[in-house]
Amino acid sequence: MRTHRWAATALTCLTLSGIGAAPALAADQPPVDYAFLRAAHQGHLTEMAAGEHARKNATAACVKNVGAALVRDHTKLDAAARALADKLGVDLPAAPTPEQQKLIAAVLAAAGADSYDANWLKAMAAAHTKTLGMIDHQLANGKDAEVKAAAKAARPVVAHHLSMVSGGTCHEPAAAVPKTVHAGNGGQVALADEGVPAFVAVPAMAIGGVLVAGGAFWAANRIRRNDLR
């Protein structure tokens, strides 16, 4: 039971970090562009961890496959977003908000139950709908050309993900991820046909692993403190 609690709480800390408002911004930072990078990073953490959880815990093969697709695609998208944030000097959030953790906890609680697949699909549909809205807001109101290009590059991938979980019904991933729009020079944040530029793609999986491990370590410490109370 304690092992199950550890896994669920660790995943909670990562999975729903993309749903909700972005952290407050410093007064001297572009409010739209920097908020987008932060929220996008949290969204990628969300889908990477949620996808991994579904890949291991879902009952239907379709849901497992969609989960694997989320891990693959959002790992690449997050690597590009992190590279751009580093270039622009944007500090990215390290943990989800309490509200975000509470939302994903409801899905994780269904692990092993007949309702798990359905709950996961509904949560992912809601998450991707919000993410698309965030992307469209950035495209309409963003000021930084590179950040807007990153949003434009990510949109078809996120839209494809939504189509796989829309209406709470699972649809098998397409044979190929929809081609993204190249963002041009200046950071090369757009995804190429294979996902991301070479200098980002190489460390992408390593970055994802570090993030997941860090979140799990943080969650484990939280659980130990709670168990001692």
Side-chain angles (χ1 to χ4, degrees):
M1 175 63 71
R2 183 166 296 184
T3 299
H4 177 74
R5 287 186 58 208
W6 183 91
T9 305
L11 191 61
T12 296
C13 297
L14 294 172
T15 48
L16 248 149
S17 46
I19 304 176
L25 300 174
D28 60 344
Q29 295 177 338
V32 175
D33 300 305
Y34 284 29
F36 173 78
L37 284 177
R38 287 170 171 158
H41 170 62
Q42 290 182 307
H44 299 322
L45 293 182
T46 297
E47 313 310 342
M48 288 157 57
E52 183 64 18
H53 197 263
R55 189 181 69 81
K56 294 180 178 179
N57 294 280
T59 300
C62 178
V63 178
K64 290 179 179 288
N65 293 339
V66 171
L70 297 192
V71 174
R72 177 197 67 207
D73 298 343
H74 284 282
T75 296
K76 295 176 181 179
L77 287 172
D78 190 54
R82 286 169 61 87
L84 180 56
D86 183 64
K87 176 183 178 181
L88 299 178
V90 180
D91 292 328
L92 298 178
T97 66
E99 178 182 359
Q100 293 165 346
Q101 294 183 36
K102 185 181 298 185
L103 186 59
I104 192 60
V107 175
L108 297 182
D114 292 341
S115 60
Y116 176 84
D117 287 12
N119 288 344
W120 188 87
L121 289 167
K122 290 177 182 178
M124 291 303 96
H128 283 84
T129 297
K130 290 186 178 182
T131 298
L132 276 182
M134 177 186 70
I135 289 174
D136 289 340
H137 182 267
Q138 170 63 25
L139 292 175
N141 300 284
K143 305 300 181 184
D144 186 278
E146 290 180 285
V147 179
K148 291 185 70 172
K152 190 174 184 180
R155 195 185 194 288
V157 180
V158 175
H160 176 57
H161 290 175
L162 179 58
S163 72
M164 294 191 292
V165 299
S166 182
T169 301
C170 187
H171 303 277
E172 285 285 353
V177 179
K179 290 185 178 181
T180 53
V181 181
H182 198 283
N185 296 321
Q188 296 295 310
V189 297
L191 303 180
D193 288 349
E194 293 300 323
V196 293
F199 80 96
V200 171
V202 172
M205 293 305 296
I207 291 173
V210 170
L211 290 171
V212 173
F217 179 80
W218 175 80
N221 286 336
R222 287 287 299 274
I223 289 176
R224 293 191 187 100
R225 288 199 296 269
N226 290 336
D227 287 340
L228 292 174
R229 292 177 181 174

